[in-house]
């Protein structure tokens, strides 16, 4: 063993092999992102009578490895909107820092009254994403923005790494678009029916979606963040546990489920 | 490609056996970000003697998923204010939605600056030329859209200009674009330009006389548009949900929203 | 003969701490014909006297639309004003493109303030020879800002700049308390009366020399905008007539106000 202080905390060469120092210097050309590395899975959101409910689990995966289990993928903006991030976590953290800056700038440039609302924020983020894709240096995220528009009506919109944008009474990214979206559309097929939902109903629908996602999305987990955005502000809970959920039945399953012995 | 949509059904699981990094001793493995996608949908435009109609469905897709049932593809262009109440032109874009949005905003900004400088709205033929140059400026990284511009020309007649993604353009009587263009266009050829319609009993071979061309009245065109989309919805999975119709006449622009099948 | 050694450029202070080039630019504003701006709870109004260089020439434009919710009035060099107006137009467009929102008035004004200030601190540059009144409406309500070539900007309840504008300011100060609750028409009339105060003896407001710009909310408490619009010619006839009538009707009050204005004149000198 080598006990010199400069070796403290370093992987042992005899176990892991010599460290490849070429990773430390970037002699080569700067590379743009070609693929996401550490990723978050679905974000789901639905509008209701006086706001939007949005949720995402707290897992960040490295490929199929559940790498970080306490990563918060919802972030509030100016106390009035929530952005939910799917996709690359480092790009999410970059956007988070960028949004902090934007919020501070905005708070300083005008003395009172002007804040970017949900619609403004979504437009800005989608422009940023489109700009980066046009530079062939995309931010590898699929975002949902939940907030209110200029008339204090619920606002929900998506933007992805290509700059594609859309709004709908309910939205989901990633696996959620196939697993959660059909559930949500059952309750809110159009704007009119979304405008009839109460907050409690909307929260229940989202929780139901999170449960289905946990059961069927292998890159998900049972701890999640959920936020309710209304005129009164943002109500964000970051350490919710999935209720009435259990994998206990899995013990009894053999093979593909049809096997009995 | 497989990674960006994050949608396993479309692209396979994010990390499947097919995508386990392979060691290739020979040659380089190319791995590139694809900046384009196709968001489906279809549009069409038809001119009349004193009007033009531009229509599009409102579905926005990625792969087999419907992103939203209401994403308009037809836009008013060149008004002086944000609600475009005094706009004189219509633009429809179909293909890659983000490029379509960017193109629309750029053309609208051009028209707004034109109004500010010249104190009059841009004519449809001037705007048509400008749109062509905007598209061609990105010849080597094109806006991946099929655009159609419509308005009333200086004589008050309906005008439709259609474009390819790099700016080739042409004034036409009618044009269908997008996912179901190949389904709708032959129908329009027959019903608007009376292609393959002949005068009964006019003879055979060279003696066969074509049906005389005449611009259609507005009511008839509106029915034609609805029929075209109803048929397209039946046969194309990327078309459906809603039909947005914009009618431009000398008294302004009228918008109609009709339901289409949501399946 | 006296020769001022400290006015060759805008980067040199005089020993008294003055920057003469900037002060001269402020003089250029006083050469321009008068413009008046005033605000109520629901509206911001700009009124202006247009001048024609000679009998056969057209009248110089004084009011400009910047965006649907902002307009401006100019006093001084028109060509300099156009540079600023174009800049503001571009900024408003880009604000809509990047945030999908109307430019907040305060932000817009501070942008031209910064732009003008640069010209007062760089060798070889010249300050803008124009003063502006910027009227607009945003989510915090109607606003009126004054802009000076020095880069100074400030929010005003009512303001007048340009030739003989002191007379108008005196009128505005006297009536300032009433503006807040004024309706649209009444606010415009106050503006025109203030404008009338500045006229020399045999001059009067006509449909040719008067411009009125209005922006505001359609209804109190509602967000629906009445877009900024410049009214010229026949459109201002009714308003001009209505302020003429009340001058004829209340001869005494008119005389009183005239007296006050004369006092104001003396203060100015």
């Amino acid at each position: 063993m080598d006990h010199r202080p400069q070796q403290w905390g370093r992987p042992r060469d005899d176990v892991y092999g010599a460290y490849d120092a070429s990773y430390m210097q970037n002699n080569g050309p700067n590379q743009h992102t070609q693929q996401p590395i550490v990723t978050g899975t679905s974000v789901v959101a639905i509008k209701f009578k006086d706001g939007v409910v949005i949720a995402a689990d707290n897992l960040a995966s490295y490929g199929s490895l559940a790498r970080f289990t306490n990563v918060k993928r919802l972030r509030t903006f100016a106390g009035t909107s929530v952005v939910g991030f799917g996709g690359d976590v480092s790009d999410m953290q970059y956007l988070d820092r960028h949004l902090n800056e934007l919020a501070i700038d905005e708070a300083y440039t005008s003395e009172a009254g002007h804040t970017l609302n949900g619609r403004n924020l979504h437009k800005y983020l989608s422009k940023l994403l489109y700009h980066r894709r046009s530079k062939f240096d995309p931010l590898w995220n699929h975002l949902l923005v939940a907030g209110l528009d200029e008339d204090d009506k619920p606002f929900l919109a998506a933007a992805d790494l290509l700059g594609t944008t859309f709004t709908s009474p309910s939205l989901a990214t990633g696996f959620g678009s196939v697993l959660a979206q059909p559930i949500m559309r059952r309750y809110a097929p159009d704007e009119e029916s979304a405008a009839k939902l109460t907050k409690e109903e909307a929260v229940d629908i989202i929780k139901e979606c999170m449960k289905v996602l946990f059961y069927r999305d292998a890159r998900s987990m049972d701890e999640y963040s959920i936020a309710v955005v209304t005129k009164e502000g943002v109500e964000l809970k970051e350490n919710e546990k999935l209720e009435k959920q259990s994998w206990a039945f899995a013990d009894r399953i053999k093979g593909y489920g049809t096997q009995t012995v | 490609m497989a990674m960006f949509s994050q949608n396993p059904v479309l692209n396979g699981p994010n990390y499947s056996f097919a995508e386990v990094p392979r060691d290739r001793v020979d040659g380089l493995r190319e791995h590139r970000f694809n900046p384009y996608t196709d968001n489906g949908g279809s549009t069409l435009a038809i001119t009349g003697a004193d009007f033009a109609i531009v229509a599009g469905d409102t579905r926005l897709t990625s792969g087999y998923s419907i992103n939203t049932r209401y994403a308009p593809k037809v836009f008013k262009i060149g008004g002086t204010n944000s609600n475009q109440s005094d706009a004189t032109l219509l633009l429809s874009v179909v293909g890659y939605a983000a490029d379509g949005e960017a193109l629309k905003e750029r053309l609208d900004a051009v028209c707004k600056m034109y109004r500010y400088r010249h104190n009059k709205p841009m004519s449809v033929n001037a705007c048509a030329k400008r749109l062509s140059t905007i598209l061609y400026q990105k010849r080597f990284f094109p806006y991946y859209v099929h655009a159609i511009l419509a308005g009333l020309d200086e004589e008050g007649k309906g005008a439709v200009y259609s474009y390819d993604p790099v700016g080739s353009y042409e004034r036409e009587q009618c044009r269908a674009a997008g996912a179901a263009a190949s389904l709708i266009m032959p129908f329009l050829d027959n019903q608007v330009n009376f292609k393959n319609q002949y005068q009964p009993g006019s003879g055979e071979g060279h003696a066969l006389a074509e049906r005389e061309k005449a611009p259609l009245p507005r009511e008839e065109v509106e029915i034609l548009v609805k029929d075209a989309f109803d048929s397209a919805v039946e046969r194309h999975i990327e078309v459906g949900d809603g039909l947005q119709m914009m009618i431009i006449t000398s008294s302004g622009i009228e918008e109609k929203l009709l339901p289409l099948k949501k399946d | 003969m006296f020769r001022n050694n400290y006015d060759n450029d805008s980067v040199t202070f005089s020993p008294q701490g003055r920057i003469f080039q900037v002060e001269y630019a402020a003089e250029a504003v006083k050469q321009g014909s008068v413009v008046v701006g005033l605000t109520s709870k629901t509206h911001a109004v700009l009124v202006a006297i247009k001048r024609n260089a000679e009998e056969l020439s057209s009248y110089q434009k004084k009011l400009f639309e910047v965006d649907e919710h902002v307009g401006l009035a100019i006093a001084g060099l028109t060509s300099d004003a156009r540079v600023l107006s174009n800049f503001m137009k571009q900024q408003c467009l880009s604000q809509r493109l990047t945030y999908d929102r109307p430019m907040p008035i305060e932000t817009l004004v501070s942008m031209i303030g910064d732009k003008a200030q640069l010209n007062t601190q760089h060798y070889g540059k010249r300050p803008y020879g124009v003063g502006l009144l910027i009227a607009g409406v945003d989510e915090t309500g109607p606003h009126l800002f004054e802009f000076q070539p020095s880069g100074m900007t400030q929010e005003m309840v009512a303001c007048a700049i340009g030739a003989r504008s002191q007379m108008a300011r005196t009128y505005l100060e006297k009536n300032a308390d009433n503006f807040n609750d004024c309706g649209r028409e009444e606010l415009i009339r106050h503006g025109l009366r203030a404008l009338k105060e500045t006229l020399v003896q045999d001059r009067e407001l006509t449909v040719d020399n008067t411009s009125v710009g209005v922006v505001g909310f359609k209804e109190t408490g509602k967000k629906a905008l009445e877009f900024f619009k410049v009214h010229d010619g026949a459109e201002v006839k009714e308003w001009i007539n209505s302020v003429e009538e009340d001058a004829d009707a209340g001869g005494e009050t008119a005389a009183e106000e005239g007296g006050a204005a004369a006092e104001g004149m003396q203060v100015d000198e």
Side-chain angles (χ1 to χ4, degrees), chain A residues 84 122-123 125-126 129 142-146 155-161 163-168 170-173, chain B residues 60 67:
Chain A
H122 171 258
K123 187 72 172 189
L125 284 168
S126 64
L129 290 164
H142 194 154
L143 319 172
L144 297 189
V145 180
F155 176 85
L156 173 61
D160 69 7
L161 68 165
T164 318
T165 58
F166 43 90
T167 77
S168 178
S170 63
L171 285 172
T173 73
Chain B
L60 187 111
N67 282 334

PDB file of all heavy atoms in Angstrom, chain A residues 84 122-123 125-126 129 142-146 155-161 163-168 170-173, chain B residues 60 67:
ATOM      1  N   GLY A  84     -40.499  21.629 -14.460  1.00  0.00           N
ATOM      2  CA  GLY A  84     -40.166  20.231 -14.217  1.00  0.00           C
ATOM      3  C   GLY A  84     -39.218  19.747 -15.300  1.00  0.00           C
ATOM      4  O   GLY A  84     -39.457  19.982 -16.468  1.00  0.00           O
ATOM      5  N   HIS A 122     -41.858  30.101 -20.088  1.00  0.00           N
ATOM      6  CA  HIS A 122     -41.860  29.020 -21.078  1.00  0.00           C
ATOM      7  C   HIS A 122     -41.318  29.494 -22.419  1.00  0.00           C
ATOM      8  O   HIS A 122     -40.531  28.810 -23.063  1.00  0.00           O
ATOM      9  CB  HIS A 122     -43.272  28.468 -21.242  1.00  0.00           C
ATOM     10  CG  HIS A 122     -43.404  27.504 -22.381  1.00  0.00           C
ATOM     11  ND1 HIS A 122     -43.949  27.848 -23.591  1.00  0.00           N
ATOM     12  CD2 HIS A 122     -43.006  26.217 -22.503  1.00  0.00           C
ATOM     13  CE1 HIS A 122     -43.898  26.798 -24.386  1.00  0.00           C
ATOM     14  NE2 HIS A 122     -43.341  25.797 -23.763  1.00  0.00           N
ATOM     15  N   LYS A 123     -41.741  30.690 -22.814  1.00  0.00           N
ATOM     16  CA  LYS A 123     -41.265  31.234 -24.084  1.00  0.00           C
ATOM     17  C   LYS A 123     -39.740  31.382 -24.044  1.00  0.00           C
ATOM     18  O   LYS A 123     -39.039  31.009 -24.985  1.00  0.00           O
ATOM     19  CB  LYS A 123     -41.914  32.601 -24.331  1.00  0.00           C
ATOM     20  CG  LYS A 123     -41.648  33.205 -25.699  1.00  0.00           C
ATOM     21  CD  LYS A 123     -42.418  32.453 -26.727  1.00  0.00           C
ATOM     22  CE  LYS A 123     -42.346  33.114 -28.089  1.00  0.00           C
ATOM     23  NZ  LYS A 123     -43.276  32.468 -29.024  1.00  0.00           N
ATOM     24  N   LEU A 125     -37.518  29.828 -22.100  1.00  0.00           N
ATOM     25  CA  LEU A 125     -36.832  28.528 -22.068  1.00  0.00           C
ATOM     26  C   LEU A 125     -36.872  27.843 -23.428  1.00  0.00           C
ATOM     27  O   LEU A 125     -35.870  27.258 -23.873  1.00  0.00           O
ATOM     28  CB  LEU A 125     -37.461  27.625 -21.008  1.00  0.00           C
ATOM     29  CG  LEU A 125     -37.091  27.959 -19.574  1.00  0.00           C
ATOM     30  CD1 LEU A 125     -37.973  27.201 -18.599  1.00  0.00           C
ATOM     31  CD2 LEU A 125     -35.628  27.658 -19.306  1.00  0.00           C
ATOM     32  N   SER A 126     -38.000  27.941 -24.119  1.00  0.00           N
ATOM     33  CA  SER A 126     -38.081  27.274 -25.417  1.00  0.00           C
ATOM     34  C   SER A 126     -37.156  27.957 -26.422  1.00  0.00           C
ATOM     35  O   SER A 126     -36.557  27.307 -27.271  1.00  0.00           O
ATOM     36  CB  SER A 126     -39.521  27.239 -25.926  1.00  0.00           C
ATOM     37  OG  SER A 126     -39.992  28.524 -26.169  1.00  0.00           O
ATOM     38  N   LEU A 129     -33.679  26.660 -25.621  1.00  0.00           N
ATOM     39  CA  LEU A 129     -33.497  25.292 -26.116  1.00  0.00           C
ATOM     40  C   LEU A 129     -33.351  25.269 -27.638  1.00  0.00           C
ATOM     41  O   LEU A 129     -32.496  24.574 -28.184  1.00  0.00           O
ATOM     42  CB  LEU A 129     -34.677  24.418 -25.688  1.00  0.00           C
ATOM     43  CG  LEU A 129     -34.756  24.088 -24.197  1.00  0.00           C
ATOM     44  CD1 LEU A 129     -36.131  23.574 -23.831  1.00  0.00           C
ATOM     45  CD2 LEU A 129     -33.694  23.075 -23.822  1.00  0.00           C
ATOM     46  N   HIS A 142     -36.307  17.678 -21.528  1.00  0.00           N
ATOM     47  CA  HIS A 142     -37.698  17.892 -21.924  1.00  0.00           C
ATOM     48  C   HIS A 142     -38.361  18.541 -20.708  1.00  0.00           C
ATOM     49  O   HIS A 142     -38.404  17.933 -19.648  1.00  0.00           O
ATOM     50  CB  HIS A 142     -38.343  16.545 -22.267  1.00  0.00           C
ATOM     51  CG  HIS A 142     -39.632  16.689 -22.995  1.00  0.00           C
ATOM     52  ND1 HIS A 142     -40.123  15.741 -23.838  1.00  0.00           N
ATOM     53  CD2 HIS A 142     -40.534  17.685 -23.019  1.00  0.00           C
ATOM     54  CE1 HIS A 142     -41.280  16.156 -24.356  1.00  0.00           C
ATOM     55  NE2 HIS A 142     -41.544  17.325 -23.862  1.00  0.00           N
ATOM     56  N   LEU A 143     -38.822  19.775 -20.867  1.00  0.00           N
ATOM     57  CA  LEU A 143     -39.322  20.534 -19.719  1.00  0.00           C
ATOM     58  C   LEU A 143     -40.833  20.666 -19.744  1.00  0.00           C
ATOM     59  O   LEU A 143     -41.430  20.753 -20.801  1.00  0.00           O
ATOM     60  CB  LEU A 143     -38.767  21.963 -19.725  1.00  0.00           C
ATOM     61  CG  LEU A 143     -37.328  22.221 -20.086  1.00  0.00           C
ATOM     62  CD1 LEU A 143     -37.113  23.718 -20.192  1.00  0.00           C
ATOM     63  CD2 LEU A 143     -36.440  21.632 -19.040  1.00  0.00           C
ATOM     64  N   LEU A 144     -41.401  20.741 -18.565  1.00  0.00           N
ATOM     65  CA  LEU A 144     -42.776  21.212 -18.432  1.00  0.00           C
ATOM     66  C   LEU A 144     -42.742  22.486 -17.599  1.00  0.00           C
ATOM     67  O   LEU A 144     -42.034  22.543 -16.588  1.00  0.00           O
ATOM     68  CB  LEU A 144     -43.659  20.172 -17.731  1.00  0.00           C
ATOM     69  CG  LEU A 144     -43.860  18.821 -18.425  1.00  0.00           C
ATOM     70  CD1 LEU A 144     -44.932  18.025 -17.689  1.00  0.00           C
ATOM     71  CD2 LEU A 144     -44.266  18.998 -19.878  1.00  0.00           C
ATOM     72  N   VAL A 145     -43.471  23.482 -18.039  1.00  0.00           N
ATOM     73  CA  VAL A 145     -43.580  24.714 -17.263  1.00  0.00           C
ATOM     74  C   VAL A 145     -45.013  24.845 -16.771  1.00  0.00           C
ATOM     75  O   VAL A 145     -45.950  24.851 -17.563  1.00  0.00           O
ATOM     76  CB  VAL A 145     -43.192  25.955 -18.097  1.00  0.00           C
ATOM     77  CG1 VAL A 145     -43.314  27.214 -17.257  1.00  0.00           C
ATOM     78  CG2 VAL A 145     -41.791  25.810 -18.643  1.00  0.00           C
ATOM     79  N   ALA A 146     -45.168  24.924 -15.456  1.00  0.00           N
ATOM     80  CA  ALA A 146     -46.491  25.081 -14.860  1.00  0.00           C
ATOM     81  C   ALA A 146     -46.558  26.439 -14.186  1.00  0.00           C
ATOM     82  O   ALA A 146     -45.643  26.816 -13.456  1.00  0.00           O
ATOM     83  CB  ALA A 146     -46.746  23.983 -13.833  1.00  0.00           C
ATOM     84  N   PHE A 155     -51.621  27.862 -16.611  1.00  0.00           N
ATOM     85  CA  PHE A 155     -50.799  27.737 -17.821  1.00  0.00           C
ATOM     86  C   PHE A 155     -49.906  26.512 -17.686  1.00  0.00           C
ATOM     87  O   PHE A 155     -49.268  26.306 -16.652  1.00  0.00           O
ATOM     88  CB  PHE A 155     -49.932  28.987 -17.985  1.00  0.00           C
ATOM     89  CG  PHE A 155     -48.984  28.896 -19.138  1.00  0.00           C
ATOM     90  CD1 PHE A 155     -49.390  29.225 -20.430  1.00  0.00           C
ATOM     91  CD2 PHE A 155     -47.675  28.456 -18.948  1.00  0.00           C
ATOM     92  CE1 PHE A 155     -48.519  29.123 -21.496  1.00  0.00           C
ATOM     93  CE2 PHE A 155     -46.795  28.353 -20.015  1.00  0.00           C
ATOM     94  CZ  PHE A 155     -47.222  28.686 -21.296  1.00  0.00           C
ATOM     95  N   LEU A 156     -49.901  25.695 -18.720  1.00  0.00           N
ATOM     96  CA  LEU A 156     -49.055  24.493 -18.723  1.00  0.00           C
ATOM     97  C   LEU A 156     -48.525  24.284 -20.132  1.00  0.00           C
ATOM     98  O   LEU A 156     -49.299  24.254 -21.086  1.00  0.00           O
ATOM     99  CB  LEU A 156     -49.870  23.277 -18.272  1.00  0.00           C
ATOM    100  CG  LEU A 156     -49.190  21.911 -18.380  1.00  0.00           C
ATOM    101  CD1 LEU A 156     -47.948  21.853 -17.521  1.00  0.00           C
ATOM    102  CD2 LEU A 156     -50.154  20.800 -18.000  1.00  0.00           C
ATOM    103  N   ALA A 157     -47.207  24.173 -20.263  1.00  0.00           N
ATOM    104  CA  ALA A 157     -46.640  23.987 -21.595  1.00  0.00           C
ATOM    105  C   ALA A 157     -45.356  23.185 -21.513  1.00  0.00           C
ATOM    106  O   ALA A 157     -44.708  23.132 -20.468  1.00  0.00           O
ATOM    107  CB  ALA A 157     -46.369  25.333 -22.246  1.00  0.00           C
ATOM    108  N   ALA A 158     -45.009  22.576 -22.640  1.00  0.00           N
ATOM    109  CA  ALA A 158     -43.799  21.761 -22.707  1.00  0.00           C
ATOM    110  C   ALA A 158     -42.813  22.362 -23.698  1.00  0.00           C
ATOM    111  O   ALA A 158     -43.198  23.081 -24.610  1.00  0.00           O
ATOM    112  CB  ALA A 158     -44.161  20.350 -23.143  1.00  0.00           C
ATOM    113  N   ALA A 159     -41.537  22.069 -23.484  1.00  0.00           N
ATOM    114  CA  ALA A 159     -40.502  22.445 -24.457  1.00  0.00           C
ATOM    115  C   ALA A 159     -39.449  21.345 -24.409  1.00  0.00           C
ATOM    116  O   ALA A 159     -39.109  20.877 -23.322  1.00  0.00           O
ATOM    117  CB  ALA A 159     -39.888  23.785 -24.089  1.00  0.00           C
ATOM    118  N   ASP A 160     -38.946  20.941 -25.565  1.00  0.00           N
ATOM    119  CA  ASP A 160     -37.942  19.885 -25.543  1.00  0.00           C
ATOM    120  C   ASP A 160     -36.620  20.354 -26.138  1.00  0.00           C
ATOM    121  O   ASP A 160     -36.482  21.505 -26.547  1.00  0.00           O
ATOM    122  CB  ASP A 160     -38.445  18.615 -26.218  1.00  0.00           C
ATOM    123  CG  ASP A 160     -38.605  18.776 -27.714  1.00  0.00           C
ATOM    124  OD1 ASP A 160     -38.188  19.836 -28.254  1.00  0.00           O
ATOM    125  OD2 ASP A 160     -39.136  17.857 -28.347  1.00  0.00           O
ATOM    126  N   LEU A 161     -35.650  19.446 -26.178  1.00  0.00           N
ATOM    127  CA  LEU A 161     -34.301  19.808 -26.597  1.00  0.00           C
ATOM    128  C   LEU A 161     -34.241  20.296 -28.035  1.00  0.00           C
ATOM    129  O   LEU A 161     -33.262  20.934 -28.430  1.00  0.00           O
ATOM    130  CB  LEU A 161     -33.352  18.614 -26.421  1.00  0.00           C
ATOM    131  CG  LEU A 161     -33.543  17.402 -27.332  1.00  0.00           C
ATOM    132  CD1 LEU A 161     -32.319  16.528 -27.243  1.00  0.00           C
ATOM    133  CD2 LEU A 161     -34.745  16.600 -26.937  1.00  0.00           C
ATOM    134  N   GLY A 163     -36.549  22.362 -29.186  1.00  0.00           N
ATOM    135  CA  GLY A 163     -37.254  23.642 -29.213  1.00  0.00           C
ATOM    136  C   GLY A 163     -38.716  23.495 -29.566  1.00  0.00           C
ATOM    137  O   GLY A 163     -39.427  24.479 -29.724  1.00  0.00           O
ATOM    138  N   THR A 164     -39.186  22.247 -29.696  1.00  0.00           N
ATOM    139  CA  THR A 164     -40.602  22.024 -29.973  1.00  0.00           C
ATOM    140  C   THR A 164     -41.414  22.396 -28.734  1.00  0.00           C
ATOM    141  O   THR A 164     -41.034  22.041 -27.626  1.00  0.00           O
ATOM    142  CB  THR A 164     -40.868  20.547 -30.311  1.00  0.00           C
ATOM    143  OG1 THR A 164     -39.838  20.085 -31.162  1.00  0.00           O
ATOM    144  CG2 THR A 164     -42.202  20.375 -30.983  1.00  0.00           C
ATOM    145  N   THR A 165     -42.503  23.116 -28.943  1.00  0.00           N
ATOM    146  CA  THR A 165     -43.323  23.547 -27.818  1.00  0.00           C
ATOM    147  C   THR A 165     -44.778  23.169 -28.044  1.00  0.00           C
ATOM    148  O   THR A 165     -45.225  23.128 -29.179  1.00  0.00           O
ATOM    149  CB  THR A 165     -43.283  25.067 -27.646  1.00  0.00           C
ATOM    150  OG1 THR A 165     -43.744  25.660 -28.855  1.00  0.00           O
ATOM    151  CG2 THR A 165     -41.900  25.552 -27.330  1.00  0.00           C
ATOM    152  N   PHE A 166     -45.467  22.886 -26.976  1.00  0.00           N
ATOM    153  CA  PHE A 166     -46.903  22.663 -27.081  1.00  0.00           C
ATOM    154  C   PHE A 166     -47.560  22.797 -25.720  1.00  0.00           C
ATOM    155  O   PHE A 166     -46.891  22.672 -24.689  1.00  0.00           O
ATOM    156  CB  PHE A 166     -47.232  21.300 -27.689  1.00  0.00           C
ATOM    157  CG  PHE A 166     -46.387  20.174 -27.172  1.00  0.00           C
ATOM    158  CD1 PHE A 166     -46.774  19.439 -26.074  1.00  0.00           C
ATOM    159  CD2 PHE A 166     -45.186  19.855 -27.804  1.00  0.00           C
ATOM    160  CE1 PHE A 166     -46.001  18.399 -25.610  1.00  0.00           C
ATOM    161  CE2 PHE A 166     -44.397  18.815 -27.341  1.00  0.00           C
ATOM    162  CZ  PHE A 166     -44.795  18.082 -26.240  1.00  0.00           C
ATOM    163  N   THR A 167     -48.847  23.088 -25.731  1.00  0.00           N
ATOM    164  CA  THR A 167     -49.604  23.168 -24.499  1.00  0.00           C
ATOM    165  C   THR A 167     -50.796  22.238 -24.602  1.00  0.00           C
ATOM    166  O   THR A 167     -51.236  21.916 -25.701  1.00  0.00           O
ATOM    167  CB  THR A 167     -50.138  24.580 -24.214  1.00  0.00           C
ATOM    168  OG1 THR A 167     -51.257  24.793 -25.056  1.00  0.00           O
ATOM    169  CG2 THR A 167     -49.105  25.636 -24.458  1.00  0.00           C
ATOM    170  N   SER A 168     -51.288  21.815 -23.461  1.00  0.00           N
ATOM    171  CA  SER A 168     -52.389  20.868 -23.428  1.00  0.00           C
ATOM    172  C   SER A 168     -52.926  20.854 -22.001  1.00  0.00           C
ATOM    173  O   SER A 168     -52.207  21.235 -21.080  1.00  0.00           O
ATOM    174  CB  SER A 168     -51.833  19.502 -23.838  1.00  0.00           C
ATOM    175  OG  SER A 168     -52.827  18.524 -23.783  1.00  0.00           O
ATOM    176  N   SER A 170     -53.295  18.435 -20.079  1.00  0.00           N
ATOM    177  CA  SER A 170     -52.375  17.613 -19.298  1.00  0.00           C
ATOM    178  C   SER A 170     -51.158  17.316 -20.153  1.00  0.00           C
ATOM    179  O   SER A 170     -51.269  17.221 -21.376  1.00  0.00           O
ATOM    180  CB  SER A 170     -53.048  16.304 -18.891  1.00  0.00           C
ATOM    181  OG  SER A 170     -53.370  15.554 -20.047  1.00  0.00           O
ATOM    182  N   LEU A 171     -49.997  17.208 -19.507  1.00  0.00           N
ATOM    183  CA  LEU A 171     -48.770  16.933 -20.256  1.00  0.00           C
ATOM    184  C   LEU A 171     -47.905  15.952 -19.476  1.00  0.00           C
ATOM    185  O   LEU A 171     -47.933  15.915 -18.241  1.00  0.00           O
ATOM    186  CB  LEU A 171     -47.978  18.218 -20.490  1.00  0.00           C
ATOM    187  CG  LEU A 171     -48.497  19.181 -21.554  1.00  0.00           C
ATOM    188  CD1 LEU A 171     -47.704  20.477 -21.506  1.00  0.00           C
ATOM    189  CD2 LEU A 171     -48.430  18.583 -22.942  1.00  0.00           C
ATOM    190  N   ALA A 172     -47.109  15.182 -20.210  1.00  0.00           N
ATOM    191  CA  ALA A 172     -46.156  14.286 -19.562  1.00  0.00           C
ATOM    192  C   ALA A 172     -44.954  14.117 -20.473  1.00  0.00           C
ATOM    193  O   ALA A 172     -45.087  14.120 -21.694  1.00  0.00           O
ATOM    194  CB  ALA A 172     -46.802  12.945 -19.294  1.00  0.00           C
ATOM    195  N   THR A 173     -43.764  13.987 -19.873  1.00  0.00           N
ATOM    196  CA  THR A 173     -42.566  13.792 -20.684  1.00  0.00           C
ATOM    197  C   THR A 173     -42.107  12.345 -20.540  1.00  0.00           C
ATOM    198  O   THR A 173     -42.503  11.645 -19.608  1.00  0.00           O
ATOM    199  CB  THR A 173     -41.415  14.694 -20.208  1.00  0.00           C
ATOM    200  OG1 THR A 173     -40.910  14.173 -18.972  1.00  0.00           O
ATOM    201  CG2 THR A 173     -41.875  16.110 -19.998  1.00  0.00           C
TER     202      THR A 173
ATOM    203  N   LEU B  60     -50.543  17.747 -33.026  1.00  0.00           N
ATOM    204  CA  LEU B  60     -49.084  17.826 -33.041  1.00  0.00           C
ATOM    205  C   LEU B  60     -48.539  16.506 -32.495  1.00  0.00           C
ATOM    206  O   LEU B  60     -48.856  16.129 -31.374  1.00  0.00           O
ATOM    207  CB  LEU B  60     -48.595  18.987 -32.189  1.00  0.00           C
ATOM    208  CG  LEU B  60     -47.089  19.236 -32.293  1.00  0.00           C
ATOM    209  CD1 LEU B  60     -46.809  20.537 -33.016  1.00  0.00           C
ATOM    210  CD2 LEU B  60     -46.442  19.280 -30.930  1.00  0.00           C
ATOM    211  N   ASN B  67     -48.784  14.794 -29.041  1.00  0.00           N
ATOM    212  CA  ASN B  67     -48.310  15.733 -28.023  1.00  0.00           C
ATOM    213  C   ASN B  67     -49.456  16.593 -27.521  1.00  0.00           C
ATOM    214  O   ASN B  67     -49.608  16.817 -26.333  1.00  0.00           O
ATOM    215  CB  ASN B  67     -47.219  16.631 -28.582  1.00  0.00           C
ATOM    216  CG  ASN B  67     -45.895  15.921 -28.662  1.00  0.00           C
ATOM    217  OD1 ASN B  67     -45.640  14.978 -27.912  1.00  0.00           O
ATOM    218  ND2 ASN B  67     -45.050  16.346 -29.572  1.00  0.00           N
TER     219      ASN B  67
END
